[in-house]
Amino acid sequence: MIEAEHIYVSFKKENQTKIFGVERQQILKDVSFVIKKGECLGILGESGSGKSTLGRVICGLLKPDKGKVFLNGEPIGSRKKGEKRAVISVVFQDYTTSANPRFTVRGLISEGIRARERREKISLDREKEIDELLTLVGLSISYKNRLPHELSGGQLQRVCIARALAVNPAVILFDEAISSLDAHTQVQIMDLLKQIQERKELTYIFITHDLTSVTYLCTQVLFLYQGEVAEIRSVKTMGDVTHPYARKLLHAIFDVEAMREEPIDEEEILCAT
Ligand SMILES: Nc1ncnc2c1ncn2[C@@H]1O[C@H](COP(=O)(O)OP(=O)(O)OP(=O)(O)O)[C@@H](O)[C@H]1O
Ligand SMILES: [Mg+2]
């Protein structure tokens, strides 16, 4: 259903004194993967490994230097007239800035509904849609007139999930979407995401640096290390990872002390990649 083929991304280095030519920093190197419909792919990696950059490429916000992403066999971002295209919705970590502070909950979710109406060339009963979406994400419909600052972090993130669903996407990409919530709320939201996924037959991409949420929610896990795919595996066989970085990450979760005592052996990792 989603196929990424040999993705390369680089950015210009800042503060360059060179007059001829520009130096570029390679962020993603030859990233490829396949996700089937209904699966959840966890993208796991340390800060700066390129997870969000890969997320932006997947949903078509960033054009890669090389490589392509296909959704149901169509290149991402291609526009075919008169045809219903499948789309990817995104939920970001920073729900406070991704939700316009002057929009009410009704206004925020309506944005998504309008996008769906335009794409599918239909006209919906917006109030009814909003009520259904709020109920689906476990919020009271009486919240419709509230502004973002009148909601808790967990509630606002539920509104962002409702807005993502309003678009009627085939895939939802979550970029650290639950990372800034407390542990209890994280579990609640993950349970909610599981329920919604089953009910709507959605495919998820879940970017995180937290292994626990991957084991809870995902079927596959992609370990990203310095912009390269270190390993892709089924979550069920995650204990058998072979790449040193992936192993280190697993050990760190099961034995936090191990991480403190033995810093990652860069040389061992470089030899393996
Ligand atoms: N638009 C940009 N221009 C230049 N460099 C960028 C740009 N976007 C990202 N980078 C660089 O690319 C690298 C990877 O960034 P990215 O945001 O993908 O990391 P990440 O894995 O999501 O990290 P985190 O876990 O902290 O969110 C970083 O070194 C970052 O500075
Ligand atoms: Mg990121």
Side-chain angles (χ1 to χ4, degrees):
M1 130 141 269
I2 298 190
E3 279 179 274
E5 287 181 357
H6 310 289
I7 305 291
Y8 288 79
V9 171
S10 63
F11 292 116
K12 262 187 233 152
K13 280 191 180 164
E14 283 130 21
N15 305 327
Q16 292 193 57
T17 45
K18 266 188 157 182
I19 299 168
F20 300 107
V22 255
E23 262 192 273
R24 298 184 76 87
Q25 185 189 7
Q26 196 68 41
I27 305 295
L28 293 177
K29 287 158 244 166
D30 200 13
V31 175
S32 301
F33 60 84
V34 179
I35 319 169
K36 292 198 198 110
K37 185 175 159 71
E39 297 222 7
C40 175
L41 175 77
I43 298 179
L44 202 65
E46 54 193 5
S47 185
S49 56
K51 303 183 297 295
S52 297
T53 306
L54 180 57
R56 288 171 60 209
V57 171
I58 295 170
C59 55
L61 291 171
L62 179 73
K63 205 175 167 310
D65 301 341
K66 263 202 281 182
K68 279 214 166 85
V69 182
F70 298 92
L71 175 57
N72 295 338
E74 295 281 331
I76 286 285
S78 68
R79 280 170 200 276
K80 273 196 176 175
K81 272 193 184 156
E83 211 178 286
K84 267 203 217 170
R85 269 183 316 127
V87 286
I88 303 184
S89 273
V90 198
V91 180
F92 293 104
Q93 168 173 24
D94 202 353
Y95 39 81
T96 43
T97 53
S98 71
N100 188 327
R102 281 175 297 188
F103 278 23
T104 59
V105 169
R106 175 188 283 106
L108 290 169
I109 300 178
S110 295
E111 276 184 307
I113 299 176
R114 275 201 298 276
R116 176 179 176 190
E117 287 179 328
R118 279 196 299 273
R119 197 180 84 251
E120 298 185 359
K121 297 189 179 63
I122 50 169
S123 144
L124 295 161
D125 178 346
R126 287 193 198 153
E127 278 312 298
K128 186 167 155 265
E129 281 291 314
I130 294 169
D131 290 356
E132 280 176 11
L133 287 163
L134 282 175
T135 312
L136 185 64
V137 298
L139 288 178
S140 156
I141 56 170
S142 65
Y143 284 24
K144 274 191 284 190
N145 295 320
R146 292 210 194 177
L147 290 164
H149 73 266
E150 294 166 334
L151 297 169
S152 74
Q155 288 166 344
L156 186 53
Q157 198 55 306
R158 283 173 194 260
V159 172
C160 292
I161 294 167
R163 179 177 59 176
L165 287 166
V167 182
N168 193 24
V171 183
I172 306 184
L173 184 139
F174 301 90
D175 189 350
E176 306 274 8
I178 58 166
S179 305
S180 40
L181 302 171
D182 65 71
H184 178 65
T185 317
Q186 283 191 352
V187 174
Q188 281 183 339
I189 302 263
M190 283 195 286
D191 281 335
L192 173 75
L193 294 180
K194 264 190 187 174
Q195 280 170 25
I196 295 174
Q197 185 179 28
E198 274 167 31
R199 204 180 305 175
K200 302 229 165 205
E201 298 184 323
L202 288 164
T203 306
Y204 283 169
I205 299 171
F206 195 79
I207 296 177
T208 182
H209 54 254
D210 171 33
L211 187 69
T212 328
S213 52
V214 168
T215 47
Y216 201 81
L217 200 65
C218 301
T219 48
Q220 304 279 323
V221 56
L222 184 159
F223 291 93
L224 197 65
Y225 182 73
Q226 296 183 351
E228 288 182 82
V229 178
E231 199 155 339
I232 305 180
R233 323 202 128 241
S234 146
V235 166
K236 284 189 194 131
T237 64
M238 201 155 68
D240 307 333
V241 285
T242 53
H243 190 277
Y245 164 67
R247 266 199 347 244
K248 203 84 195 175
L249 208 68
L250 279 183
H251 289 163
I253 301 294
F254 297 124
D255 183 3
V256 179
E257 290 307 312
M259 187 78 166
R260 276 196 209 127
E261 281 161 20
E262 313 165 42
I264 293 182
D265 186 345
E266 294 287 338
E267 222 167 276
E268 191 190 355
I269 290 169
L270 288 176
C271 293
T273 46

